[in-house]
Amino acid sequence: MKKRELEQLIQKIVNEKVEEGAIKSPVKVMLERPPREELGDFSTNVAMLLTKSERKPPRQIAELLVPSIEALGCVEDVRVEGPGFINIYLKKDCWYDTLKEILQKRGSYGDCPHVGEGKKVQVEFVSANPTGPLHIGHGRGAAVGDALSRILEAAGYQITREYYINDVGKQMTILGHSLYIRYLELLGKDVTLPEDHYQGDYIKDIAEEFLKRQGKKYAEVPFDECSQLFIEFAKDSILSGIKKDLEDFGVHFDVWFSEKTLFEKNLVETTIEELKARGVIYEKDGALWFKTTEFGDDKDRVLVKQDGSTTYFASDIAYHRNKLRRGFNTIVDIWGADHHGYAPRIRALFSALGEDPERLKIILIQLVSLKRGGKPVAMSTRKAEFVTLREVIDEVGKDAARFIFLTRKADAHLEFDLELARRQAPENPVYYVQYCHARIMSILEFAKEKGLDIPDAPHTELLRRLDLKEELNIIKHLSRLEEVVESAATSFEPHRVTFYLRELAALFHPYYNTHRVVSEDTELSLARLTLCRATAEVVRKGLRLLGVDAPSRM
RNA sequence: GCGCCUGUAGCUCAGCUGGAUAGAGCGUUGGACUACGAAUCCAAAGGUCGGGGGUUCGAAUCCCCCCGGGCGCUCCA
């Protein structure tokens, strides 16, 4: 029995009471899980919500509803407890239906298409500048963005994963020039890399590659005459590295959106024209301003500078206007938390274009503080001292890294201990869940060798053998998957799935340790094997939503 | 100075959008493998939910004020 189903049944009862006149005002029924199992499987606070409009004590209102709820097929008992909670106890047979449903739906169990109804959502994430390799912080953004996308897909949304490439502007010229300098260095020229250039060794590697491909023919060519070539080469090389890193991290983007194309298609200009037409653009001090203060921003923002060049913000609004034009119902931007100040301006754009700013959902990713064996690791982008995503993948593995990134709310600081993450030790949380899956697969294997044939569609008769409290608790937890997916999707918080899985494993491991699955009692064995199979199915599904593998052996 | 985020057990963090006696993991201490995987399990200890007010049947959760931490306040990208 799922919460949503029971919620609807009780809502119907309340609505009937309202029609009959027994209750004066309508109320939305919300079920919740009581804090302790003695208080039932579900409970509702409707009676307390109605005290004011009914002018009756909550318990009296509750009693009005109890008989109809008791009459529901799945309900074993209904009690009014505490200040006026209506606590509902379900029949065991209803829980066994959960197992049947899991085995029938398999990988699609937990999906809730009614939430998204096929609406289009764009998720833009990572979007790191193509001036250097991805570092561990980008990894967190990648893990969150991808897991969120997977969860939204399970919730029935149509997702476009997108990466925005900042491939224009001064930084690109500096990148190209950095490569140029390293190239000349290789040719034995006496040059030094300016301080504001990219210092990382990766530029040297690219320079060697450049030399191999292009030879020495640019040795005497001034940078001004070959800048485009160097810029393109550096950018393409870095970008293909980024793509490779992300693929190996299990993240695949549908669209790689180039900022440059905004200019090529005149979209920056068109956007400014549209804003002009809407009367939110003015000129001051030789620059062109967007009146964002009209929509809640602190100060107005420059779009075209005195020297005639456009700002980064100009590209950004053109990009977001383009997103809107592409027909996404919701636009999700995942940013580093240090960019939070930009939110009001982008929202201002939505308002200025007559769009609901609520369509833009911004998720901020807090910084990762990196440790190694409990000791902090210093990071400095400028000095190119940082731990790259590549190193993390190679050192601790994709699964452990992704899982750890998803053990916290996105906007909370995350401590990432490289040594801990790499260690296959109990304190490493990913193995707790993966081990649960591997363990079950091993049990199923064992059962097969014993000649036990687990039914694909077990009868309730058989499942009734699962009457231990631990067994029912596991089944009840399994029944929550859809709720968790829905809440993770609507709150944009993928970490909820992580916690759910840990809880599930924490129910299964002790059960396994105290009760034998495969025993002399064939019927009981089959019932328990069914439970195991359903559990493995849900663990696998949950891990898939996080982009983490569910190994059969570890 | 202004704005956003944040403060929950020794440490790292959850807390289901306002519910009943606030929960995990790690760490600490003690215990469990001659039957399905010990990457597991069992037990113990650990709290003024930063502080103060307010809203109401009810607050860790919502509002205001302080205190502490982080991050933003470029015609930078």
Side-chain angles (χ1 to χ4, degrees):
Chain A
M1 171 60 66
K2 287 187 213 122
K3 188 168 100 169
R4 195 169 62 92
E5 294 166 2
L6 189 60
E7 229 159 36
Q8 286 166 354
L9 291 171
I10 294 176
Q11 181 73 64
K12 214 173 133 201
I13 290 172
V14 171
N15 291 348
E16 279 166 15
K17 294 289 169 195
V18 172
E19 273 173 42
E20 289 168 15
I23 291 175
K24 291 183 196 106
S25 51
V27 64
K28 191 178 177 205
V29 174
M30 304 261 277
L31 288 185
E32 52 195 73
R33 312 268 168 179
R36 298 187 305 281
E37 53 183 309
E38 316 90 78
L39 296 173
D41 296 313
F42 293 100
S43 89
T44 177
N45 61 348
V46 276
M48 290 182 287
L49 293 176
L50 285 168
T51 44
K52 223 175 255 173
S53 57
E54 300 300 309
R55 295 190 185 169
K56 277 189 225 165
R59 284 172 156 271
Q60 204 176 322
I61 300 167
E63 293 301 340
L64 215 59
L65 299 168
V66 168
S68 309
I69 298 174
E70 266 175 343
L72 292 173
C74 54
V75 173
E76 172 86 34
D77 192 13
V78 181
R79 289 182 215 156
V80 180
E81 285 164 309
F85 289 102
I86 301 174
N87 292 338
I88 300 163
Y89 301 72
L90 296 187
K91 288 178 184 155
K92 281 181 190 168
D93 282 5
C94 297
W95 295 116
Y96 300 139
D97 290 345
T98 298
L99 294 179
K100 293 183 188 174
E101 190 186 339
I102 294 169
L103 295 183
Q104 187 219 322
K105 291 191 178 167
R106 297 303 198 97
S108 70
Y109 179 76
D111 289 348
C112 40
H114 64 277
V115 176
E117 296 173 316
K119 290 201 200 76
K120 287 175 71 183
V121 176
Q122 186 218 33
V123 182
E124 184 215 321
F125 58 112
V126 187
S127 298
N129 289 340
T131 55
L134 298 177
H135 55 69
I136 190 167
H138 297 126
R140 186 178 186 188
V144 170
D146 187 55
L148 177 64
S149 299
R150 288 164 185 255
I151 290 164
L152 289 171
E153 276 166 349
Y157 292 95
Q158 210 180 308
I159 302 299
T160 301
R161 293 169 173 80
E162 191 153 324
Y163 187 119
Y164 179 60
I165 309 164
N166 295 114
D167 52 2
V168 291
K170 205 162 62 183
Q171 53 168 357
M172 282 295 110
T173 310
I174 293 176
L175 176 69
H177 195 238
S178 301
L179 173 60
Y180 180 73
I181 298 280
R182 291 300 193 198
Y183 170 72
L184 296 183
E185 229 173 50
L186 282 179
L187 296 176
K189 301 256 179 186
D190 185 22
V191 285
T192 46
L193 192 69
E195 275 225 359
D196 64 347
H197 279 42
Y198 295 98
Q199 306 290 324
D201 285 347
Y202 59 90
I203 305 277
K204 292 183 189 169
D205 299 338
I206 299 170
E208 279 183 32
E209 186 61 33
F210 186 91
L211 180 60
K212 223 185 283 172
R213 297 257 192 95
Q214 301 284 345
K216 299 177 180 175
K217 57 188 167 189
Y218 295 96
E220 305 300 334
V221 182
F223 183 65
D224 285 350
E225 289 170 25
C226 58
S227 62
Q228 274 315 308
L229 179 70
F230 279 87
I231 291 171
E232 288 297 315
F233 193 92
K235 186 195 78 186
D236 290 346
S237 166
I238 289 171
L239 214 47
S240 67
I242 287 176
K243 285 183 186 179
K244 177 81 169 64
D245 290 351
L246 288 169
E247 288 292 337
D248 290 349
F249 199 51
V251 179
H252 180 82
F253 284 92
D254 304 303
V255 178
W256 293 78
F257 195 101
S258 151
E259 180 183 3
K260 210 200 262 177
T261 62
L262 289 171
F263 290 94
E264 287 163 2
K265 294 177 186 163
N266 269 330
L267 290 177
V268 179
E269 207 182 308
T270 333
T271 303
I272 294 175
E273 287 310 315
E274 179 172 350
L275 291 175
K276 262 185 196 164
R278 290 176 178 270
V280 292
I281 297 286
Y282 64 92
E283 213 177 316
K284 194 183 85 178
D285 304 331
L288 214 58
W289 297 71
F290 175 15
K291 222 185 281 181
T292 51
T293 49
E294 215 168 87
F295 310 100
D297 195 9
D298 295 355
K299 49 187 86 168
D300 292 339
R301 307 291 168 180
V302 170
L303 295 179
V304 183
K305 296 183 252 181
Q306 266 183 349
D307 65 5
S309 62
T310 57
T311 58
Y312 176 89
F313 180 52
S315 300
D316 234 27
I317 61 172
Y319 178 39
H320 280 83
R321 175 167 166 275
N322 172 269
K323 291 186 183 189
L324 284 164
R325 290 276 165 110
R326 282 192 273 159
F328 296 111
N329 294 90
T330 303
I331 290 162
V332 181
D333 282 5
I334 298 183
W335 298 345
D338 53 338
H339 285 70
H340 71 261
Y342 295 82
R345 353 187 156 163
I346 302 292
R347 290 221 173 82
L349 172 76
F350 277 57
S351 303
L353 295 176
E355 299 288 348
D356 182 1
E358 291 298 308
R359 284 176 60 190
L360 175 66
K361 176 75 194 169
I362 295 167
I363 294 171
L364 300 172
I365 305 282
Q366 262 301 349
L367 298 181
V368 177
S369 52
L370 201 61
K371 299 206 168 165
R372 197 183 282 278
K375 279 183 229 150
V377 178
M379 296 239 281
S380 157
T381 312
R382 198 174 53 83
K383 284 186 269 176
E385 286 174 358
F386 49 80
V387 175
T388 60
L389 177 59
R390 168 56 51 192
E391 290 171 82
V392 175
I393 296 171
D394 291 345
E395 221 183 297
V396 316
K398 177 203 81 163
D399 287 339
R402 285 185 73 130
F403 196 90
I404 290 169
F405 283 136
L406 293 165
T407 53
R408 303 277 180 271
K409 245 185 322 209
D411 58 0
H413 287 273
L414 172 77
E415 199 172 273
F416 194 106
D417 194 313
L418 284 165
E419 208 168 294
L420 175 70
R422 184 182 39 188
R423 231 183 313 157
Q424 301 195 353
E427 58 263 44
N428 192 338
V430 63
Y431 300 113
Y432 190 71
V433 175
Q434 284 187 324
Y435 184 58
C436 178
H437 182 264
R439 190 175 229 181
I440 292 174
M441 296 318 279
S442 167
I443 298 168
L444 297 180
E445 193 61 33
F446 176 83
K448 201 172 160 192
E449 282 164 19
K450 289 256 174 185
L452 288 164
D453 197 12
I454 313 167
D456 286 324
H459 292 291
T460 305
E461 206 66 33
L462 178 74
L463 298 177
R464 284 200 182 116
R465 296 297 303 274
L466 301 169
D467 61 351
L468 291 172
K469 186 180 280 182
E470 293 100 308
E471 289 164 339
L472 286 164
N473 282 343
I474 293 171
I475 298 171
K476 288 174 187 179
H477 205 263
L478 295 176
S479 78
R480 285 185 45 205
L481 179 64
E482 190 182 307
E483 283 168 52
V484 171
V485 172
E486 176 171 348
S487 87
T490 56
S491 64
F492 299 88
E493 292 184 349
H495 75 279
R496 295 189 187 201
V497 174
T498 314
F499 280 87
Y500 169 79
L501 287 176
R502 190 206 280 268
E503 285 160 9
L504 179 57
L507 289 173
F508 185 81
H509 285 309
Y511 169 64
Y512 170 85
N513 270 285
T514 42
H515 302 284
R516 256 200 90 74
V517 175
V518 179
S519 64
E520 299 303 316
D521 185 338
T522 306
E523 204 184 53
L524 180 64
S525 300
L526 289 175
R528 289 182 171 174
L529 286 164
T530 303
L531 175 63
C532 286
R533 193 145 101 178
T535 304
E537 203 69 60
V538 170
V539 170
R540 196 179 312 134
K541 170 73 172 199
L543 287 175
R544 197 190 314 142
L545 292 174
L546 303 179
V548 174
D549 291 339
S552 297
R553 266 171 238 265
M554 295 171 65

